[in-house]
Amino acid sequence: MLGSLTPSSLTPEQLHDHQVTRDLIAQALAAQSARRYELEQAGGDQGSLEQVIASQSRLAGALRDLDPADIDKIARLREECVAVLRQARR
């Protein structure tokens, strides 16, 4: 049963992907915090600020609730985090 997966029933690769994704989420949250600060200080447009705040909320929730067995969600979050980090480097 999928709902009863325990950490011991996960493969080492799944556990590694989970930890890597958690690390990426933490990095993306830090980048979004810096971006939010810049927008607030510069009086940036409200739409951009709202997007950053929504992203922060979504990523914080994912960090809190990320299930190592949810491979699809982990893959989506990794892509989102990489996109956030790439944007932050521009």
Side-chain angles (χ1 to χ4, degrees):
M1 292 186 345
L2 262 181
S4 65
L5 286 177
T6 62
S8 62
S9 66
L10 298 172
T11 68
E13 293 82 13
Q14 285 174 307
L15 292 172
H16 175 74
D17 285 348
H18 178 256
Q19 187 57 50
V20 167
T21 302
R22 289 181 59 81
D23 292 345
L24 281 171
I25 292 170
Q27 291 175 34
L29 276 169
Q32 290 295 60
S33 292
R35 178 72 179 137
R36 181 177 179 174
Y37 178 79
E38 288 172 4
L39 288 169
E40 289 172 343
Q41 295 302 308
D45 81 89
Q46 193 63 29
S48 293
L49 183 58
E50 288 172 4
Q51 284 179 336
V52 168
I53 292 169
S55 175
Q56 283 181 298
S57 178
R58 188 172 52 256
L59 291 170
L63 187 60
R64 181 184 59 244
D65 302 329
L66 190 59
D67 178 3
D70 192 344
I71 297 166
D72 293 334
K73 186 173 185 176
I74 287 175
R76 284 191 309 272
L77 284 166
R78 285 178 85 158
E79 288 178 20
E80 180 179 350
C81 291
V82 168
V84 166
L85 293 170
R86 280 188 180 141
Q87 183 180 16
R89 290 185 182 131
R90 291 182 192 162

